[in-house]
Amino acid sequence: MPLLKNKNLLELILLKGGCKLKYKINKNEDALIIVDVQVDFCPGGALPVPEGDKIIPVLNEYIKRFDEVGALIIATRDWHPPNHSSFKTHGGLWPPHCIQGTDGAKFHPDLRLPKRTKIISKATDPSKEAYSGFEGTGLSEELKKIGIKRVFVGGLATEYCVKNTVLDALKYGFEVFLLEDAIKGIDVNPGDVNRAIEEMLQKGAKKITLSDVE
Ligand code: VGL
Ligand code: ZN
């Protein structure tokens, strides 16, 4: 009895346990978008995100849950021509990375993408940077056409391709869930990652973790 004499404690237990809101994956209206989980963005690659590979087991669990219900799974990939303008060698910011057809551009071998995964290649125009999976790919129209309403976004890197993909998805009117436990950033300037997360939330994305989806 003394254990439950505190009403606040009881409420806390109920909130944390039985009543926690879960999002049930809807086969027809939900899509998982895995952003740029490629060899070059993982430790050992050409443009490594520190600990970028640590999110892979978590992403695999999201993939499993979406796969089980037959919901759409999308993997974007940075897919640059060798002369891309984002490369330092061509006046850009980054070391050459994710060059079409190279080993570095492959999805990380530990990422368990089902055969039916829809692959979106982006930033293929040498003259244009394209961080977002929606930029120049027709993805928004395709998703609208098949009735997708909510997108669940994780991957690399938080403050570049994840952020721009999330903001575009919001702009196009999708409900957007940021997979907080399945993103990693570069943090070129310390604080970049946190600022990016704040901006995504402020513009309407909702952050969730694996325990929120079933
Ligand atoms: C990315 C830098 C350059 C990303 C792509 O996937 O976040 N970052 N190209
Ligand atoms: Zn790139």
Side-chain angles (χ1 to χ4, degrees):
M1 186 55 202
L3 190 65
L4 291 181
K5 73 170 189 271
N6 185 333
K7 184 168 167 288
N8 291 335
L9 179 63
L10 181 57
E11 277 172 2
L12 191 69
I13 292 166
L14 288 172
L15 273 171
K16 283 266 175 207
C19 304
K20 189 153 184 231
L21 188 69
K22 295 240 179 191
Y23 296 102
K24 200 172 164 59
I25 301 165
N26 181 304
K27 174 190 192 307
N28 300 312
E29 300 186 351
D30 292 343
L32 176 64
I33 304 182
I34 299 162
V35 176
D36 297 6
V37 180
Q38 291 165 273
V39 170
D40 273 344
F41 291 128
C42 290
L47 177 41
V49 176
E51 304 191 323
D53 55 338
K54 293 265 171 76
I55 63 171
I56 295 173
V58 187
L59 281 169
N60 283 337
E61 187 57 38
Y62 281 107
I63 290 169
K64 192 168 152 226
R65 293 184 195 189
F66 275 72
D67 205 25
E68 271 165 9
V69 301
L72 182 61
I73 298 169
I74 296 164
T76 72
R77 62 182 182 186
D78 217 24
W79 197 244
H80 297 309
N83 61 344
H84 195 256
S85 57
S86 75
F87 297 168
K88 278 177 184 156
T89 46
H90 291 76
L93 288 174
W94 307 109
H97 62 278
C98 298
I99 295 172
Q100 297 169 6
T102 63
D103 284 347
K106 290 187 172 142
F107 291 114
H108 192 286
D110 295 343
L111 187 67
R112 291 206 284 271
L113 293 173
K115 288 237 162 45
R116 65 183 184 86
T117 302
K118 179 171 185 52
I119 293 170
I120 296 287
S121 303
K122 64 180 175 61
T124 58
D125 179 339
S127 67
K128 285 200 200 95
E129 180 58 291
Y131 288 138
S132 161
F134 289 91
E135 217 173 322
T137 60
L139 181 58
S140 172
E141 295 74 11
E142 271 189 68
L143 296 184
K144 291 270 159 84
K145 197 168 66 193
I146 61 172
I148 298 296
K149 305 239 169 2
R150 308 193 298 183
V151 296
F152 295 72
V153 185
L156 306 171
T158 306
E159 71 274 48
Y160 297 101
C161 290
V162 171
K163 180 179 109 169
N164 284 277
T165 300
V166 163
L167 295 185
D168 269 355
L170 289 167
K171 193 176 80 186
Y172 289 119
F174 298 99
E175 186 174 2
V176 183
F177 297 90
L178 176 67
L179 308 180
E180 202 189 358
D181 49 355
I183 52 175
K184 279 275 188 237
I186 306 173
D187 238 7
V188 174
N189 311 295
D192 283 355
V193 167
N194 285 336
R195 277 188 293 274
I197 292 172
E198 282 314 309
E199 187 181 345
M200 290 185 267
L201 299 178
Q202 187 262 324
K203 292 195 166 142
K206 299 172 184 89
K207 64 175 180 181
I208 62 165
T209 62
L210 206 43
S211 62
D212 296 317
V213 297
E214 57 163 46

